[in-house]
Amino acid sequence: MTSNGPLSGIRVLDLTIAMAGPLCSQRLGEMGAEVVKIEAPGGGDFSRHSPMAGVSRFGDATCFVTLNRNKRSLVLDLKSEAGKDVLYRLVESADVFVQNFRPRVAAKLGIDYATLNAINDKLVYASISGYGDEGPMRDRPGQDLLVQSYSGLTFNGGQASGLPHPSPLYMVDTSASHMACEGILAALVARSRTGKGQEVKTSLLSAIMEMQIQEVTSYLAADAPPRRGASPQVSIWMEPPYGVYSCETGNLAIAQADLEVLSDVLELPQLARLKVERPPQKDADAVTAWRDRICALVAGILATKPAEYWDELLHEHGVWCGVVQDYATFLENGQADPYLVSMEHAVGGTYKTVAPGIRFSDDPQPEMRGAPIYGADSTAILSESGFGEAEIGTLLQSGAVVENSDQ
């Protein structure tokens, strides 16, 4: 398969599961790299079998289908010596190796950086862990909600009387995938100068720390950090009335807004007075009460008219705001159309999904191939990699390599 993408000619061995790793390698594939997804016997990447909201149109779960396009599947038993030897031979000619095992697991399997670098010192080796390879949490499972909860993020929103407030999105996985991809690209650039590969490390914890760089730094510098109050908060770190409000019909989100401007537009003179009455930051109780008063005033007036009315009025006066939409209204208004792509799946047929988020002028319409059927490419990959027909037959017979016979 040929590609005009900027990573054309780069071969990636992808030993990742779940989201952060597969999304990273998928992005490399969208940029033109050849990505070989190496899966274990017995079902492979567990996200194949983890439906999101029960959606099972594709045979595999949508979680897998949307994170593994532009890849081929090789089923390899790395617990067998024959399977491990196959991997080592593939490493000899690979450019990038990506894995997201827990730190000790990679060494146990014999696929750690030191081992593979000894085979191919040009290899760019990327690892994505949950909490890094040091510290008391290093062997705990790294999962998005767990890392959000561990890192303090969940107390940045919501109400004091309510539960901690995590994001419903797998935003930590997504951010970690971006960081790993950026690191791989930087290491490939360095290799073009030095001729040597290197190890690229990131983690879900490092990703969420970077996402909270403003909040963590502000916390460390604050005399008294802000805290949640009686009014529901999107972020305790943003000045009120930053948040989402219920209107007569619909809901309105307000971002940055000058209280004097809002005072005039909403005909609430109290807001102008409250602007100059902000308590000192070191008085956390007073700041929380001040925030709650502002939010309550704004909520009271916005509840009297539809969200569309307030959106138009406030926008005219330079207030950053917008009507809150669900997927139905968002995907109907046309703004999202350039960011969607129609694809074909061997089982699910034609479907729409999110298009690559990065576009290149030299490859404006990159080839988009659906996620691979489990083990569909095992024989082809080995044959292309120099394995003889008899050798492949022996590997298949021993179970070190598995080919999907149902395709």
Side-chain angles (χ1 to χ4, degrees), residues 18-78:
M19 182 173 183
L23 184 56
C24 166
S25 53
Q26 174 172 280
R27 185 170 290 108
L28 298 173
E30 291 168 351
M31 294 179 184
E34 176 201 353
V35 181
V36 176
K37 185 176 181 72
I38 298 176
E39 302 187 75
D45 186 340
F46 73 81
S47 67
R48 284 185 182 272
H49 320 291
S50 304
M52 179 169 276
V55 179
S56 56
R57 167 182 170 181
F58 305 98
D60 293 319
T62 51
C63 304
F64 179 86
V65 171
T66 54
L67 298 172
N68 289 281
R69 63 188 177 201
N70 285 31
K71 303 180 185 180
R72 294 191 293 166
S73 173
L74 164 63
V75 178
L76 200 57
D77 183 4
L78 295 181

Side-chain angles (χ1 to χ4, degrees), residues 173-201:
D173 281 321
T174 301
S175 180
S177 79
H178 291 188
M179 292 174 69
C181 186
E182 290 171 9
I184 290 167
L185 296 177
L188 286 171
V189 171
R191 191 184 71 170
S192 71
R193 297 194 309 267
T194 66
K196 300 292 184 181
Q198 60 183 294
E199 185 176 16
V200 176
K201 291 184 181 180

Side-chain angles (χ1 to χ4, degrees), residues 262-320:
L262 281 181
S263 179
D264 292 338
V265 178
L266 301 180
E267 299 181 357
L268 289 172
Q270 306 98 307
L271 291 178
R273 291 197 296 271
L274 283 167
K275 178 180 179 178
V276 298
E277 292 174 359
R278 191 192 195 286
Q281 189 62 38
K282 63 183 179 181
D283 191 343
D285 289 337
V287 171
T288 300
W290 172 79
R291 179 192 296 274
D292 285 339
R293 286 198 296 274
I294 292 172
C295 291
L297 285 168
V298 173
I301 191 67
L302 293 184
T304 63
K305 286 186 170 58
E308 290 77 6
Y309 170 85
W310 293 120
D311 180 47
E312 183 176 350
L313 178 63
L314 293 173
H315 179 69
E316 288 176 359
H317 289 82
V319 176
W320 292 14

Side-chain angles (χ1 to χ4, degrees), residues 23-209:
L23 184 56
C24 166
S25 53
Q26 174 172 280
R27 185 170 290 108
L28 298 173
E30 291 168 351
M31 294 179 184
E34 176 201 353
V35 181
V36 176
K37 185 176 181 72
I38 298 176
E39 302 187 75
D45 186 340
F46 73 81
S47 67
R48 284 185 182 272
H49 320 291
S50 304
M52 179 169 276
V55 179
S56 56
R57 167 182 170 181
F58 305 98
D60 293 319
T62 51
C63 304
F64 179 86
V65 171
T66 54
L67 298 172
N68 289 281
R69 63 188 177 201
N70 285 31
K71 303 180 185 180
R72 294 191 293 166
S73 173
L74 164 63
V75 178
L76 200 57
D77 183 4
L78 295 181
K79 293 181 180 179
S80 71
E81 288 305 314
K84 198 173 299 183
D85 287 343
V86 170
L87 178 68
Y88 291 162
R89 283 175 63 178
L90 295 176
V91 165
E92 290 175 3
S93 59
D95 298 286
V96 177
F97 185 95
V98 191
Q99 58 89 358
N100 61 346
F101 295 107
R102 298 183 205 180
R104 293 182 183 179
V105 174
K108 184 177 180 180
L109 287 173
I111 58 170
D112 53 295
Y113 173 65
T115 299
L116 301 192
N117 177 256
I119 298 171
N120 177 3
D121 66 0
K122 294 181 174 62
L123 186 71
V124 171
Y125 181 105
S127 62
I128 308 169
S129 62
Y131 299 92
D133 52 11
E134 297 179 357
M137 296 292 288
R138 66 177 183 174
D139 292 322
R140 294 288 291 269
Q143 191 275 342
D144 201 289
L145 174 62
L146 301 182
V147 177
Q148 286 189 50
S149 302
Y150 179 74
S151 67
L153 174 76
T154 58
F155 283 102
N156 286 352
Q159 295 171 275
S161 60
L163 287 169
H165 195 66
S167 167
L169 291 176
Y170 297 115
M171 62 177 191
V172 189
D173 281 321
T174 301
S175 180
S177 79
H178 291 188
M179 292 174 69
C181 186
E182 290 171 9
I184 290 167
L185 296 177
L188 286 171
V189 171
R191 191 184 71 170
S192 71
R193 297 194 309 267
T194 66
K196 300 292 184 181
Q198 60 183 294
E199 185 176 16
V200 176
K201 291 184 181 180
T202 191
S203 66
L204 301 191
L205 185 58
S206 65
I208 201 167
M209 292 291 285

